[in-house]
Amino acid sequence: MKDNKMVRANLLCVILLMHAVVGLPYNVRGLSMSYYMKSCPTAEQIVKNSVNNALKADPTLAAGLIRMLFHDCFIEGCDASILLDSTNDNTAEKDSPGNLSLRGYEIIDDTKQEIENTCPGVVSCADILAMAARDAVFWAGGPYYQIPKGRFDGKRSKIEDTKNLLPPSFNASQLIQAFGQRGFSPRDVVALSGAHTLGVARCSSFKARLLTPDSSVDSSFANTLSKTCSAGDNAEQPLDATRSDFDNAYFNALQMKSGVLFSDQTLFNTPVTRNLVNGYAFNQSKFFFDFQKAMRKMSKLNVKHSSQGEVRKHCRCLN
């Protein structure tokens, strides 16, 4: 496993070098693949090294970084508003109930500090978070994908905005509607849900499924969930059998009625998304291909530009 990850890491270096030499054009609303090529050419390498070192020490943080990006982008856009600390007169997004279990802030802090030491005032926290999530996917065994840079950091972070976070009780129709309002297709919804191949869920997010008989849950798996919850609301259940490996085991679990969250299992129970689940369960490469496309789309969601934001000196507070 370690040898495979080393090979993948070396491949990543080659890919980054090729992109730097070729200067791939990818301009989207002010974003560019080569945004830091002159102003901070080592930015991506610093992020990659920081993420890899952190995940070697604690592989479970890969899920944390990916989830953090989603919780950032789905509220005010990909502007690092999730990173801002609360102040005496403002309760920030990170302190909402739906965000209290987020992990990985220290990775972003450490990466930002190292980049500031090299290229002060240049690289935004929003770009660092987007790159860190991308590198976490790759480190865990998932696809590598390039993302354009040039996001600016937002100046707003309010707890009331987190009402738009998606609850684990959503059914497929509600998920499709919520994502559709942000430009995502049903295919994007299922592919992005596949990020739940990493990480765990706390009992509080799925215990409601155990209160009444549910034919969509395998009886043996229901017993497993009940046993987990016997330890309390904060007890953790892996979202699939390979919690630290980015693969298609999540979709295999849905086929076996072993999705932990209702919002996961609903993707198999609903005809409009079931074929996509089956396709990804059968073909991991197809899942990887669609996932990286959807993540690129996610990372460009409502980004801020220079007139709307800033490049923070510290990711936890405004300049």
Side-chain angles (χ1 to χ4, degrees):
M1 183 66 176
K2 291 182 178 178
D3 290 341
N4 289 338
K5 286 184 175 178
M6 184 170 292
V7 171
R8 294 171 64 83
N10 290 337
L11 176 60
L12 172 57
C13 292
V14 173
I15 292 172
L16 290 174
L17 179 60
M18 290 175 63
H19 284 169
V21 172
V22 177
L24 291 177
Y26 202 116
N27 298 307
V28 181
R29 294 179 299 172
L31 303 183
S32 169
M33 290 293 190
S34 57
Y35 190 83
Y36 297 117
M37 185 175 291
K38 293 182 179 180
S39 59
C40 193
T42 60
E44 293 214 46
Q45 189 64 41
I46 291 173
V47 174
K48 182 181 83 72
N49 290 344
S50 181
V51 169
N52 287 357
N53 289 335
L55 297 187
K56 286 176 184 176
D58 184 356
T60 67
L61 287 172
L65 290 172
I66 299 166
R67 184 167 175 244
M68 188 186 296
L69 178 67
F70 173 80
H71 281 228
D72 182 48
C73 296
F74 220 73
I75 304 304
E76 281 289 299
C78 302
D79 66 350
S81 56
I82 190 64
L83 303 178
L84 288 171
D85 285 341
S86 295
T87 60
N88 291 335
D89 58 356
N90 179 65
T91 304
E93 293 173 25
K94 65 166 54 173
D95 288 323
S96 76
N99 286 331
L100 291 178
S101 61
L102 290 180
R103 302 170 63 230
Y105 292 110
E106 66 283 356
I107 300 176
I108 305 301
D109 291 338
D110 292 346
T111 304
K112 175 63 171 176
Q113 184 59 59
E114 186 172 352
I115 288 180
E116 284 296 303
N117 291 340
T118 305
C119 317
V122 174
V123 182
S124 69
C125 300
D127 275 344
I128 291 173
L129 177 54
M131 289 187 282
R134 182 269 315 276
D135 292 340
V137 170
F138 187 74
W139 188 92
Y144 178 79
Y145 54 94
Q146 267 287 13
I147 54 172
K149 276 73 68 179
R151 300 161 189 78
F152 279 75
D153 299 323
K155 298 180 180 181
R156 172 189 174 94
S157 182
K158 295 185 175 295
I159 190 172
E160 55 263 32
D161 294 338
T162 62
K163 65 182 183 296
N164 293 321
L165 284 175
L166 307 183
S169 59
F170 262 22
N171 61 35
S173 296
Q174 291 170 311
L175 290 172
I176 290 171
Q177 180 181 13
F179 275 91
Q181 291 171 348
R182 293 163 174 80
F184 294 92
S185 68
R187 181 178 295 275
D188 294 329
V189 173
V190 179
L192 289 171
S193 296
H196 282 176
T197 186
L198 296 176
V200 300
R202 293 184 176 181
C203 172
S204 57
S205 64
F206 60 79
K207 66 180 182 179
R209 304 182 67 196
L210 307 175
L211 299 178
T212 57
D214 185 350
S215 61
S216 71
V217 184
D218 175 77
S219 58
S220 176
F221 188 65
N223 290 335
T224 297
L225 296 181
S226 295
K227 183 177 180 180
T228 297
C229 285
S230 67
D233 280 358
N234 289 328
E236 296 178 340
Q237 175 67 35
L239 288 166
D240 73 11
T242 57
R243 58 174 288 183
S244 295
D245 294 331
F246 197 99
D247 52 29
N248 65 341
Y250 163 84
F251 298 107
N252 297 135
L254 300 187
Q255 289 180 316
M256 296 184 290
K257 297 184 177 181
S258 298
V260 176
L261 302 177
F262 176 82
S263 57
D264 288 330
Q265 193 60 51
T266 187
L267 299 176
F268 183 73
N269 299 340
T270 306
V272 69
T273 50
R274 182 183 300 131
N275 286 341
L276 291 166
V277 171
N278 288 336
Y280 294 153
F282 176 74
N283 188 337
Q284 180 171 278
S285 295
K286 178 60 176 172
F287 163 48
F288 280 14
F289 181 77
D290 287 347
F291 179 81
Q292 55 91 16
K293 286 202 304 181
M295 282 296 282
R296 279 203 302 267
K297 184 185 294 187
M298 172 70 73
S299 73
K300 295 181 287 184
L301 190 62
N302 297 329
V303 298
K304 303 295 187 295
H305 304 294
S306 58
S307 61
Q308 305 165 308
E310 62 184 11
V311 175
R312 293 181 208 144
K313 296 178 181 178
H314 302 281
C315 292
R316 293 176 180 263
C317 58
L318 300 177
N319 291 343

